[in-house]
Amino acid sequence: MKNFFFSVMLSVAALAFAQSPLNAPWMQQLQLQKNGTEPTYQEIVDAGTAYFDSIDKDAKGSGYKPFMRWIETAKQFVKDDGSLQTNAELDAIINDRFIAKGVTADDSNWFPNGPYGVIGTGSWSTGQGRVNAIAVDPNNASTYYIGAPGGGVFKSTDAGATWTPLTDFISRVGASAIAIDPNNSNIVYVGTGDDDGGDAPSIGMLKSIDGGATFSPTGLTFPGSSSEITEIYISPTNSNELFIATNVGFFKSTNAGASVSLTFSGDVKDIKLKPGDANTIYLTANGGFYISTNAGNTFTRVTSGLPNGVGRMVLAVTPANAQYVYILAIDGSAGLLGLYRSTNGGTTFSKRDNGVDILENSQGFYDLAMEVSPTDANRVYTGCLNVWASSNGGSTFTKINSWSSPSQPSYTHADIHQIRAFGNTLFVASDGGIY
């Protein structure tokens, strides 16, 4: 059994229950109506119900299932006045039930009894549970870390054959971002919370200096119940410099996470570092695209060639051509706006796709992913329901798998949350595990 800083983590940043997916259309409308005040559980339920009454909620990828899962889980955290429990309230419960009694480890005799493999149903695979993020050790291609929305962080040292949970005793923690220091593989940063489904809140950024055996809090902690970390990157030229994307803004650290500074306020959906240029950072937030040329100290918005009415954008860059920047955008109703590309480092963009619905649903607020090959700047992968590939920079796409055909060699479970290339290996994080 791993020894974690259980009591430290709970006292520094308590768990809390997250709101329904913050990117969802009904949450965006409700937040405008509430004007900065926290909505009640019933208000969220009513807003979501009204939204799904206006669309075909039974269509694959409508977002109805994630919403219903949230409803059932959130019931446990509703107070008498209808609001959801706060961090402080849940912290008091945890302290009373566990810390004050000296419970810092699992002394039960439960053990897993299977099934361990992917179980097919004839038309789809049940999978192993949602995965939000993956990172591969840059110094050991057989060491993987994955982040699950409710189960936390898992590590494999045999290229995914077996896995060890790393965060079982750090509160109720999900994970949506993982970064490994290329100069010291024992240093691992984790962005806690569930940035897509709202199934777990963020308690901030955690740091390990022993390859995930233990974790400690950093200078970035969140007291609120609706904060999320979406990405963490380490500067390739200075391991003390960290760049962190969250739904409250962009944070930068110059001392390996000991402290952070907020340099951009807003709901930051994605960030990417320009290959070969540690000072240039691309960022999407608040329906816009921004560039920093001073390592994240300031950002400037770019609009040339980009659409209006954007609900969410994800980014992709490639060392095969550092001037290429790809943007996959959805509208306020979570439908496809298009794929856009810049060939001049993000100064101007042009629409690339030919109108094929590479999302296949209106669930882009919940799962939306893109990656570009590190060796071919025109080889683009996108994911929402299935994985689509383009060999000509997004002008045309081919669907390379089907969520309902689990016998396919290229099969992945439906609902794609991240696509990442590490060397010649492409990973897909989905609702059914890592592929």
Side-chain angles (χ1 to χ4, degrees):
M1 186 62 66
K2 299 292 185 182
N3 179 25
F4 296 102
F5 295 164
F6 180 63
S7 60
V8 173
M9 284 309 307
L10 287 175
S11 62
V12 171
L15 79 130
F17 191 78
Q19 292 180 356
S20 181
L22 297 176
N23 296 322
W26 64 90
M27 283 302 296
Q28 294 177 355
Q29 296 166 7
L30 181 58
Q31 286 169 332
L32 288 174
Q33 296 170 7
K34 296 296 291 183
N35 194 28
T37 61
E38 291 289 332
T40 65
Y41 168 80
Q42 193 59 49
E43 285 174 333
I44 297 173
V45 172
D46 291 345
T49 301
Y51 170 79
F52 286 108
D53 283 345
S54 67
I55 68 170
D56 181 8
K57 65 177 182 294
D58 296 320
K60 178 62 181 174
S62 70
Y64 185 64
K65 288 183 179 179
F67 173 62
M68 294 303 296
R69 287 195 292 265
W70 180 88
I71 286 178
E72 292 303 312
T73 304
K75 286 180 180 178
Q76 307 167 71
F77 300 89
V78 181
K79 299 190 296 183
D80 290 341
D81 65 0
S83 63
L84 294 169
Q85 288 174 305
T86 65
N87 276 354
E89 290 164 334
L90 286 167
D91 187 37
I93 295 172
I94 292 293
N95 274 281
D96 178 62
R97 294 182 181 178
F98 297 100
I99 296 175
K101 297 177 181 179
V103 179
T104 59
D106 180 9
D107 58 0
S108 69
N109 60 355
W110 288 96
F111 61 92
N113 199 33
Y116 303 107
V118 175
I119 303 170
T121 67
S123 63
W124 60 284
S125 165
T126 53
Q128 302 298 304
R130 175 154 59 100
V131 173
N132 284 349
I134 182 166
V136 176
D137 187 340
N139 302 306
N140 185 342
S142 294
T143 297
Y144 304 166
Y145 293 84
I146 61 172
V153 181
F154 293 77
K155 180 180 181 179
S156 174
T157 57
D158 52 15
T162 59
W163 296 88
T164 300
L166 302 182
T167 53
D168 281 356
F169 296 98
I170 303 180
S171 174
R172 176 183 177 271
V173 58
S176 295
I178 303 170
I180 305 167
D181 188 341
N183 295 311
N184 184 347
S185 295
N186 284 321
I187 297 178
V188 182
Y189 298 92
V190 170
T192 63
D194 175 17
D195 66 341
D196 277 340
D199 286 346
S202 177
I203 58 175
M205 183 175 69
L206 307 181
K207 180 179 181 179
S208 175
I209 59 173
D210 51 19
T214 60
F215 283 90
S216 298
T218 64
L220 181 57
T221 60
F222 290 125
S225 61
S226 57
S227 299
E228 305 294 352
I229 295 176
T230 56
E231 292 284 356
I232 301 173
Y233 283 95
I234 303 171
S235 170
T237 59
N238 182 356
S239 290
N240 288 319
E241 202 165 49
L242 309 177
F243 310 113
I244 309 132
T246 79
N247 68 334
V248 296
F250 175 89
F251 292 87
K252 177 180 178 179
S253 175
T254 58
N255 52 16
S259 62
V260 298
S261 57
L262 178 68
T263 65
F264 179 96
S265 296
D267 186 1
V268 181
K269 303 299 187 186
D270 200 4
I271 58 172
K272 290 292 184 291
L273 276 59
K274 183 177 182 178
D277 182 358
N279 288 315
T280 299
I281 301 173
Y282 305 116
L283 177 152
T284 63
N286 310 326
F289 170 77
Y290 300 80
I291 297 180
S292 173
T293 57
N294 53 16
N297 293 328
T298 59
F299 286 87
T300 302
R301 184 167 184 174
V302 173
T303 60
S304 180
L306 292 174
N308 296 316
V310 177
R312 179 183 181 183
M313 292 188 281
V314 293
L315 300 166
V317 296
T318 172
N321 190 328
Q323 292 299 108
Y324 277 28
V325 183
Y326 288 89
I327 292 178
L328 179 60
I330 63 171
D331 59 25
S333 299
L336 178 67
L337 271 178
L339 185 139
Y340 300 80
R341 185 177 74 178
S342 171
T343 58
N344 53 15
T347 303
T348 60
F349 285 83
S350 60
K351 194 173 189 294
R352 297 290 297 173
D353 64 287
N354 59 5
V356 174
D357 186 7
I358 54 179
L359 302 191
E360 305 172 80
N361 58 40
S362 57
Q363 197 173 279
F365 67 87
Y366 171 67
D367 51 297
L368 190 68
M370 180 170 56
E371 179 65 298
V372 183
S373 164
T375 58
D376 182 351
N378 287 305
R379 183 70 173 173
V380 184
Y381 301 92
T382 65
C384 189
L385 184 61
N386 294 296
V387 180
W388 291 68
S390 172
S391 59
N392 52 18
S395 291
T396 59
F397 278 90
T398 301
K399 184 163 64 172
I400 64 175
N401 77 300
S402 173
W403 69 271
S404 59
S405 300
S407 61
Q408 281 185 315
S410 59
Y411 176 79
T412 74
H413 193 281
D415 303 336
I416 311 302
H417 294 270
Q418 191 178 80
I419 305 176
R420 287 290 184 269
F422 295 94
N424 291 323
T425 304
L426 191 71
F427 293 88
V428 171
S430 74
D431 268 14
I434 190 76
Y435 291 78

